[in-house]
Amino acid sequence: MHEKLLKLISPVIPPSERKWCLQYFEPTLFPKSRVIEEEGMIPKYLYFVVSGYLRLFHYNDYGDEVTTHINCPPGFITSYFNFINQTKSNENLECITECKLLRISKNNLDILTEKSILFKNFSISVFQQSLVYNDNRSKELATLSGKERYRKFIKDYPHILQNVPLQYIASFLGMDPKSLSRIRKESHL
């Protein structure tokens, strides 16, 4: 199960250090609809998505689910700020589909990054990419219309449409499912 992670790190981590992925990243399999990290708890793991789709979500003041991130393979996902700082998260991490994942605990990530400056730099890069992604997403939600957000989403992530329920996509795009349906119908005309 480690092949995709090894391929991702191969440009920056030498073969002599790649073996640590096998030691510190634990393979896991979760069924569809399983919440693997719960709000109100400290996130236990950073996950690498081998296959499947996951989402981060929280509940708004009205009790509605708000999807803040949808992740697909390959890539990393967790409630980053809370994982790094080991503080309680206000988000849930849920498997949308069956998911094959590699996971590493904060303690093991710390050990790994102490052993290898290259893994430390790679880890910092992953967290920086998360910050940039979230910053761009905030700007898009604030400046783009619903139709523009949808068009950008299908251009950037066409495979998600076939694998993720529309209510999660609508929530992620900052709209209700009826608005997304209307925009999709208008886009197909």
Side-chain angles (χ1 to χ4, degrees), residues 66-153:
V66 177
T67 299
T68 57
H69 191 74
I70 299 172
N71 199 315
C72 52
F76 291 92
I77 190 167
T78 192
S79 181
Y80 284 102
F81 177 84
N82 302 104
F83 177 77
I84 293 167
N85 294 298
Q86 290 293 277
T87 56
K88 290 180 182 178
S89 175
N90 69 337
E91 296 182 295
N92 299 282
L93 180 58
E94 179 184 35
C95 297
I96 299 170
T97 63
E98 179 180 272
C99 293
K100 290 181 183 177
L101 309 170
L102 298 173
R103 67 185 184 187
I104 188 169
S105 68
K106 176 69 165 76
N107 185 51
N108 282 343
L109 182 61
D110 289 345
I111 292 168
L112 182 58
T113 57
E114 284 175 26
K115 280 185 174 187
S116 168
I117 189 69
L118 296 174
F119 264 111
K120 182 175 187 171
N121 291 341
F122 179 78
S123 178
I124 290 168
S125 173
V126 167
F127 293 126
Q128 287 173 332
Q129 288 172 21
S130 173
L131 289 172
V132 169
Y133 173 86
N134 287 329
D135 187 51
N136 287 337
R137 178 170 149 62
S138 294
K139 288 176 186 170
E140 289 170 7
L141 284 170
T143 61
L144 299 179
S145 69
K147 189 180 287 188
E148 290 168 327
R149 290 192 305 272
Y150 175 71
R151 285 184 179 153
K152 184 173 183 343
F153 181 80

Side-chain angles (χ1 to χ4, degrees), residues 4 14-15 38 57 76 93 126 144 169 175:
K4 287 185 180 180
E38 293 184 30
F57 74 95
F76 291 92
L93 180 58
V126 167
L144 299 179
I169 294 170
M175 61 184 79

